[in-house]
């Protein structure tokens, strides 16, 4: 199982980015997918996840109301729409297949994808 995250870049505070998570050679429709991030000098933290069961979603408190996770049914991928970005959102963002999608976004990861850099700076 190989995943690839894309869509990162440099954006000003208050701006938006849309990240995509793609399965290399397979559909993500039947997987629980989590987004995690790691800022320089910090540990990896859960950002959001979407369950394979009923597409239930969870968000870290720090991104609630600003980030939205969803499935792109046409492309069989998972997207993370990030709005009202803040400098503290700067990190490498990773998507992963996970066993569970739970409050607090614990690490129940099966397979990690490559990360994509998000930099929020003026």
């Amino acid at each position: 199982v190989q995943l690839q995250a894309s869509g990162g870049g440099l954006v000003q505070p208050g701006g938006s980015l849309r990240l995509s998570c793609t399965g290399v050679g397979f559909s993500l429709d039947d997987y629980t997918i989590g987004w995690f991030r790691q800022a320089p000098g910090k540990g990896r933290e859960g950002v959001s996840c979407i369950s394979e069961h009923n597409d239930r979603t969870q968000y870290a408190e720090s991104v609630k109301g600003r980030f939205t996770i969803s499935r792109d049914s046409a492309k069989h991928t998972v997207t993370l729409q990030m709005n009202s970005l803040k400098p503290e959102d700067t990190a490498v963002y990773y998507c992963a297949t996970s066993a569970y999608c739970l409050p607090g976004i614990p690490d129940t990861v099966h397979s990690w994808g490559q990360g994509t850099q998000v930099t929020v700076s003026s």
Side-chain angles (χ1 to χ4, degrees), residues 9-120:
L10 172 64
V11 64
Q12 292 186 341
S16 298
L17 283 174
R18 186 177 179 89
L19 304 184
S20 291
C21 181
T22 302
V24 180
F26 68 99
S27 167
L28 299 185
D29 292 354
D30 297 326
Y31 287 86
T32 291
I33 300 296
W35 282 98
F36 299 79
R37 66 186 180 186
Q38 187 164 20
K42 295 187 177 181
R44 190 149 46 193
E45 65 168 334
V47 175
S48 182
C49 57
I50 185 165
S51 175
E52 64 181 293
H53 307 295
N54 299 319
D55 285 347
R56 288 187 176 180
T57 60
Q58 299 288 344
Y59 296 93
E61 287 296 325
S62 59
V63 307
K64 276 183 181 178
R66 299 189 297 122
F67 291 11
T68 303
I69 190 171
S70 62
R71 295 189 187 274
D72 185 326
S73 57
K75 298 180 180 179
H76 307 294
T77 59
V78 172
T79 62
L80 184 68
Q81 178 68 42
M82 306 188 298
N83 299 328
S84 302
L85 283 162
K86 305 175 181 180
E88 51 263 43
D89 294 318
T90 295
V92 178
Y93 283 71
Y94 301 87
C95 63
T97 59
S98 298
Y100 305 105
C101 179
L102 299 171
I105 329 293
D107 182 348
T108 61
V109 171
H110 289 313
S111 298
W112 290 100
Q114 281 187 309
T116 185
Q117 176 70 47
V118 171
T119 303
V120 185

